[in-house]
Amino acid sequence: MPVLLTRRDGAVEYVTLNRPEVRNAFNEPLIAALRTWADAVAGDRSVRVAVLAGAGTTFCAGADLEWMSKLSACTRDENVRDATAAAGMFGALDRLPVPVIGRIHGAALGGGAGLAAVCDVVVADEHAQFGFTEVKLGILPSMISPFVLAKIGQSAARELFLTGMRVDAARAREIGLVHAVVAADALDATVSQYVQEFLSAGPEAIATAKELIRKVAGRAPQDVLQLTAETLAARRASAEGREGMKAFFEKRKPTWNANR
Ligand code: COA
């Protein structure tokens, strides 16, 4: 069975972690498959939204601990190479120009919670558990830390990274890791609502907004003044920007949303 399942429905790409027997824990093939998938989606203009989910009872149990213990016997260079591949995979997902919706059920732990952090919107089953459990195992959430910190900030990271405790979906929402907490039977409908929101927005505008968030985060307003002014100026003058505003005054849907 492939470790990653993909399915296209129009402009929506569904990707599912598929190692349910180990709760979709990451090993080398899964990391490589996710990276290949992310690179393909980044270059495919027909994809407008991606939905990331896990097969079986759990979204993702983080790094595969059997594989991690094997790695502990490898050389430092081998370990660095391997960790770099994982970091590259998280970075590639984080930088995808299309919005990514995380569909979380069961648990998102360690790197699984890291995957949630690189999603743009996370919809969680109310019974899902979240945690950066690495310190309980004597390791730490390292490669995911930049993405997680960008989402939850230092205060929550100090609590959760340093205790390794597990929290429920409501708490994950409080700290900004999750955006919607719903009953299990409402998970797919809520994901679909977000899909529709994304499909009704200009794809280039979304991609530019996503990139802008990354560039502006943590910088002083005066340092990004030029960047923000130029970004909007370019968008206004773009075909997509002109079409969006024209459609508003003509009381019709813009072309990217016309057949829906
Ligand atoms: N790596 C490797 N195998 C894992 C795994 C991981 N991260 N997480 C779970 N598994 C395996 C278990 O060893 C078990 O294997 P077995 O059937 O051969 O005994 C199988 O997956 C099912 O796990 P189990 O704990 O029985 O499933 P569950 O549905 O009751 O609980 C979790 C699921 C995810 C809550 C639980 O497995 C868990 O807490 N895993 C550890 C998560 C973690 O700390 N990850 C951080 C890694 S850095």
Side-chain angles (χ1 to χ4, degrees):
M1 279 292 273
V3 293
L4 202 61
L5 303 175
T6 60
R7 175 172 72 84
R8 271 297 282 282
D9 180 9
V12 187
E13 172 87 3
Y14 292 87
V15 60
T16 303
L17 311 175
N18 191 39
R19 301 187 72 217
E21 67 287 356
V22 288
R23 304 305 183 257
N24 301 316
F26 291 132
N27 60 358
E28 213 174 346
L30 183 51
I31 289 170
L34 272 169
R35 177 64 198 258
T36 303
W37 174 83
D39 289 347
V41 166
D44 183 347
R45 289 176 65 89
S46 67
V47 179
R48 290 184 51 197
V49 188
V51 178
L52 174 61
T57 57
T58 298
F59 173 69
C60 179
D64 186 319
L65 294 168
E66 207 180 301
W67 167 65
M68 292 272 271
S69 25
K70 279 190 194 135
L71 276 169
S72 62
C74 292
T75 64
R76 183 184 173 279
D77 283 356
E78 282 165 333
N79 269 282
V80 170
R81 201 175 317 125
D82 175 84
T84 306
M89 178 273 287
F90 283 108
L93 287 173
D94 188 62
R95 288 188 310 273
L96 275 178
V98 297
V100 181
I101 303 171
R103 179 198 183 280
I104 312 264
H105 72 302
L109 300 170
L115 272 187
V118 296
C119 291
D120 299 294
V121 167
V122 174
V123 179
D125 174 347
E126 60 190 343
H127 298 300
Q129 53 170 286
F130 293 79
F132 302 94
T133 50
E134 286 88 341
V135 290
K136 300 280 199 215
L137 302 158
I139 50 178
L140 80 166
S142 190
M143 287 89 76
I144 60 172
S145 63
F147 312 108
V148 176
L149 278 168
K151 281 284 178 73
I152 73 173
Q154 287 194 43
S155 176
R158 284 184 181 215
E159 179 195 21
L160 300 183
F161 283 18
L162 306 189
T163 62
M165 67 197 273
R166 297 172 190 222
V167 298
D168 63 13
R171 171 86 176 119
R173 183 167 184 268
E174 255 173 37
I175 60 174
L177 190 60
V178 164
H179 300 91
V181 178
V182 299
D185 60 5
L187 207 47
D188 289 322
T190 310
V191 167
S192 294
Q193 281 168 14
Y194 275 110
V195 166
Q196 295 311 317
E197 294 292 348
F198 285 129
L199 291 177
S200 67
E204 290 171 18
I206 292 177
T208 311
K210 191 165 167 174
E211 194 183 352
L212 188 72
I213 292 166
R214 213 171 38 244
K215 287 182 175 163
V216 166
R219 296 178 63 193
Q222 65 273 20
D223 294 343
V224 292
L225 192 149
Q226 193 70 20
L227 168 72
T228 55
E230 282 174 11
T231 302
L232 180 61
R235 246 355 23 241
R236 275 184 194 143
S238 70
E240 190 182 276
R242 286 202 304 267
E243 163 61 10
M245 290 181 279
K246 191 160 174 268
F248 174 81
F249 287 115
E250 292 174 1
K251 301 190 189 307
R252 61 172 174 83
K253 286 184 175 177
T255 47
W256 62 79
N257 194 20
N259 300 321
R260 302 177 53 253

